[in-house]
């Protein structure tokens, strides 16, 4: 018989109730991670519209600025969305640091354990910690620019930032960090919350891992192709860096068309 039931058996002795807060915080961390990962999927599709042409990316950008509803661009609408994403990122990161190894001994113990186990999920968790740490810094730089200069998003404006302002360096590292982190995160959520159940958990886990890697490779290829497109436009546009892009079909009559 264990001590807590013994304590419960003694009249007047209160049994310490297990706090539900760690589980609640885990839930919020999972939920915020899920929303951020799904946001990133949408984000990558919107940013990659440059692959469909400058007019396509311009149209998506203007849609987010309310241009087709209010008849004029309201870039501050984008800042409101960025502020929401930033808040979610801060909450997610704050909850995630609870799980970080906090000193050398813990890092050492974890690494030794991972090396002994050679267990892929343990190694994946390590890469989620490393990429999560990198995102603290890399994502904040990008989000501050999007928050403070939402008026500087567009085929030329983004390409000039990527090439003439050298943001391709940040985006290249950020792309790998966020796609690895998000992919591992969704996989761990599916396993942890048993989303796909199934009679054979090992087979389900194997399928999930294949799906995870397929999605990660898909978004990395899409992201690299998108970055290459912004770099190509940025190189061509470098002599006129700072010029705002407007599609020919938006030009007032008689104005020179932009090629
Ligand atoms: C609402 C918030 C966000 C907005 C409005 C936004 C907007 C953009 C835009 C317009 C670009 C194109 C390049 C440029 O203009 O500089 C871009 C690129 C990128 N963003 Fe975001 N972003 C947001 C949040 C995030 C977050 C949270 C992450 C990752 C944690 C992220 C990762 C990236 C990456 C990796 C690229 C480069 C794309 C590529 O490699 O093809 N973004 N973003």
């Amino acid at each position: 018989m264990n001590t807590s039931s013994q304590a419960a058996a003694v009249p007047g002795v209160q049994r310490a109730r297990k706090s539900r807060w760690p589980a609640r915080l885990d839930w919020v961390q999972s939920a915020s991670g899920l929303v951020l990962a799904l946001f990133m999927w949408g984000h990558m599709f919107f940013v990659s519209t440059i692959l469909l042409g400058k007019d396509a990316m311009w149209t998506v950008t203007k849609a987010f600025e309310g241009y087709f509803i209010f008849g004029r661009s309201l870039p501050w609408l984008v800042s409101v969305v960025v502020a929401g994403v930033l808040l979610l990122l801060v909450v997610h990161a704050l909850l995630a640091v609870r799980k970080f190894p906090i000193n050398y001994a813990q890092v050492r113990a974890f690494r030794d354990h991972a090396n002994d186990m050679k267990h892929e999920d343990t190694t994946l968790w390590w890469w989620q910690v490393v990429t999560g740490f990198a995102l603290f810094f890399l994502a904040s730089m990008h989000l501050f620019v999007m928050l403070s200069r939402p008026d500087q998003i567009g085929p030329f404006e983004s390409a000039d930032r990527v090439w003439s302002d050298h943001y391709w360096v940040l985006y290249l590292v950020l792309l790998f960090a966020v796609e690895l982190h998000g992919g591992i995160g969704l996989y761990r959520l599916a396993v942890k919350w048993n989303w796909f159940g199934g009679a054979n958990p090992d087979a389900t886990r194997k399928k999930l891992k294949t799906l995870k890697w397929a999605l990660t490779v898909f978004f990395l290829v899409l992201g690299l192709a998108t970055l290459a497109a912004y770099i190509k436009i940025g190189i061509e546009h470098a002599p006129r860096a700072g010029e705002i892009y407007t599609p020919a079909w938006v030009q007032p009559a008689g104005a020179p068309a932009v090629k």
Side-chain angles (χ1 to χ4, degrees):
M1 218 166 93
N2 66 26
T3 50
S4 60
S5 56
Q6 277 167 334
V10 178
V13 173
Q14 285 291 330
R15 192 168 71 175
R17 234 158 44 81
K18 225 162 156 293
S19 165
R20 289 220 188 99
W21 274 108
R24 286 193 190 123
L25 296 180
D26 276 358
W27 191 91
V28 177
Q29 186 188 343
S30 297
S32 57
L34 176 65
V35 174
L36 285 166
L38 297 179
F39 164 81
M40 281 314 300
W41 285 1
H43 165 284
M44 199 43 79
F45 284 119
F46 296 135
V47 170
S48 67
T49 50
I50 196 72
L51 297 171
L52 304 174
K54 296 186 193 89
D55 287 8
M57 197 263 178
W58 183 89
T59 307
V60 168
T61 304
K62 291 301 161 202
F64 280 113
E65 295 170 2
Y67 181 86
F68 302 109
I69 300 170
F70 306 106
R72 61 197 173 91
S73 284
L74 304 171
W76 61 265
L77 290 173
V78 174
S79 294
V80 172
V81 175
V82 178
V85 171
L86 193 54
L87 186 64
L88 206 55
L89 207 90
V90 169
V91 169
H92 182 72
L94 200 59
L95 294 172
V97 284
R98 294 170 308 145
K99 308 281 171 75
F100 271 39
I102 51 168
N103 56 38
Y104 180 71
Q106 285 189 3
V107 171
R108 192 67 267 164
F110 178 83
R111 296 299 295 154
D112 293 347
H113 169 72
N115 290 339
D116 295 347
M117 297 280 291
K118 299 247 175 310
H119 183 236
E120 192 184 351
D121 284 22
T122 310
T123 311
L124 285 179
W125 184 79
W126 176 250
W127 280 110
Q128 208 184 15
V129 170
V130 172
T131 52
F133 185 74
L135 287 172
F136 284 162
F137 313 100
L138 303 173
S140 322
M141 297 178 205
H142 173 50
L143 286 171
F144 179 73
V145 174
M146 293 299 130
L147 186 72
S148 57
R149 293 309 309 264
D151 57 316
Q152 289 289 311
I153 298 175
F156 284 165
E157 300 88 322
S158 296
D160 291 341
R161 183 175 26 252
V162 167
W163 181 253
S164 298
D165 298 345
H166 314 300
Y167 272 68
W168 65 268
V169 183
L170 169 72
Y171 288 145
L172 197 55
V173 186
L174 181 59
L175 177 69
F176 280 87
V178 73
E179 292 311 337
L180 285 173
H181 189 84
I184 296 170
L186 285 175
Y187 163 74
R188 288 172 54 83
L189 284 183
V191 171
K192 179 176 177 175
W193 301 97
N194 197 20
W195 283 343
F196 299 98
N200 182 344
D202 287 349
T204 309
R205 193 184 278 245
K206 214 152 172 279
K207 283 195 199 116
L208 280 173
K209 212 167 278 171
T210 312
L211 179 64
K212 182 213 103 50
W213 282 116
L215 283 168
T216 300
V217 170
F218 169 76
F219 280 109
L220 280 177
V221 170
L222 181 65
L224 289 170
T226 301
L227 197 53
Y230 282 113
I231 289 173
K232 181 173 176 295
I233 297 168
I235 292 171
E236 289 160 5
H237 193 247
R240 300 195 316 263
E243 179 191 25
I244 302 290
Y245 180 83
T246 309
W249 46 271
V250 175
Q251 291 292 318
V258 174
K259 290 278 170 287

